[in-house]
Amino acid sequence: MRVKIAFEEKGVVGYEVKEENLPHGKSELLLKSNPIYQKVPVLLHNGNPIVESTNIVYYIDEAWPSSPSLLPSCAYGRARARFWADFVDKKVYDAGAAIWGGKGEEIEAAKNEFIEVIKKLEGALGDKDYYGGDTFGFVDIIAIPLTSWFLTYEKLGGFKVEEECPKFAAWMKRCQDRESVAKALPDPEKVHEFVIKLRKMLGIE
């Protein structure tokens, strides 16, 4: 999702998407392109593989420099963007996974941790429209795909992001209204259905 949004925002067209049916094994192309982690996504550009979604978005911004930059122009702004992108990668998914993978009191504790993580992100956003200020950019691209899971976290955890973090919820809506984001994100209801099936498969409920 991050890569697709970045391409759309940079105006890159004519790329080919090849999906992996991961439950049924990994293709030779994937194993060859990302032998270390053997994970998607992988961007193949000029015969070279670029791996890890955040790293790919960095690459896209540099490889297509004539388009509007996704990162701030100043060194401090870029450093700040990299910090918060790293925070999103390290904190948001794991905090959410603890909710959907938990039971009983575990979910309550995970919910509280998740809300604290989102509050920190809300603090970083402040009163700005986007993390880069007035312009949708790098941190927004890194963070917004993870919000497609938020409905699931809310239903399992018994809370509302909008009530806990209204400025962050407004940012989510702002981003989701962008064409690049709307085209890339899955239906949150379908994500919820998938997670419920997954919890049953794993014997969680």
Side-chain angles (χ1 to χ4, degrees):
M1 289 182 278
R2 290 169 171 175
V3 176
K4 289 178 179 178
I5 294 169
F7 271 144
E8 289 288 329
E9 291 291 331
K10 296 290 280 190
V12 179
V13 297
Y15 58 88
E16 180 184 1
V17 177
K18 289 188 177 181
E19 296 187 353
E20 291 277 327
N21 192 355
L22 296 176
H24 295 88
K26 300 174 181 180
S27 71
E28 286 300 317
L29 179 61
L30 174 59
L31 297 176
K32 178 183 176 182
S33 302
N34 189 2
I36 304 299
Y37 291 118
Q38 301 181 2
K39 294 183 348 185
V40 295
V42 177
L43 172 64
L44 297 175
H45 184 229
N46 295 331
N48 297 314
I50 300 94
V51 301
E52 298 293 298
S53 59
T54 300
N55 189 46
I56 294 171
V57 176
Y58 278 131
Y59 180 87
I60 290 171
D61 201 31
E62 292 186 351
W64 285 271
S66 60
S67 304
S69 178
L70 301 177
L71 283 157
S73 58
C74 69
Y76 174 73
R78 291 194 298 273
R80 187 175 184 275
R82 286 192 291 266
F83 172 85
W84 284 109
D86 185 62
F87 179 86
V88 169
D89 277 341
K90 289 178 177 176
K91 296 292 186 178
V92 177
Y93 178 79
D94 286 349
I99 296 175
W100 74 256
K103 293 181 179 180
E105 293 181 0
E106 294 174 349
I107 293 180
E108 182 66 19
K111 176 196 77 174
N112 293 333
E113 172 64 21
F114 177 81
I115 291 171
E116 286 305 309
V117 167
I118 300 306
K119 283 183 176 179
K120 286 182 171 66
L121 280 173
E122 185 176 58
L125 179 66
D127 294 321
K128 302 186 296 293
D129 284 346
Y130 301 104
Y131 280 92
D134 296 330
T135 306
F136 182 83
F138 185 77
V139 178
D140 307 293
I141 291 173
I142 299 305
I144 194 62
L146 296 176
T147 65
S148 58
W149 288 68
F150 281 20
L151 177 66
T152 297
Y153 305 155
E154 289 177 335
K155 287 187 174 184
L156 290 172
F159 70 101
K160 293 284 187 181
V161 171
E162 185 175 11
E163 294 174 0
E164 301 288 345
C165 303
K167 289 183 179 179
F168 186 87
W171 165 84
M172 285 172 50
K173 178 67 165 59
R174 205 173 293 124
C175 292
Q176 290 164 355
D177 284 343
R178 296 182 71 85
E179 183 179 359
S180 63
V181 176
K183 288 167 63 175
L185 264 58
D187 181 347
E189 290 287 356
K190 291 185 177 179
V191 173
H192 180 247
E193 292 173 9
F194 164 76
V195 172
I196 295 304
K197 290 179 182 177
L198 186 59
R199 282 172 59 85
K200 290 179 179 177
M201 285 173 54
L202 295 174
I204 299 172
E205 65 175 41

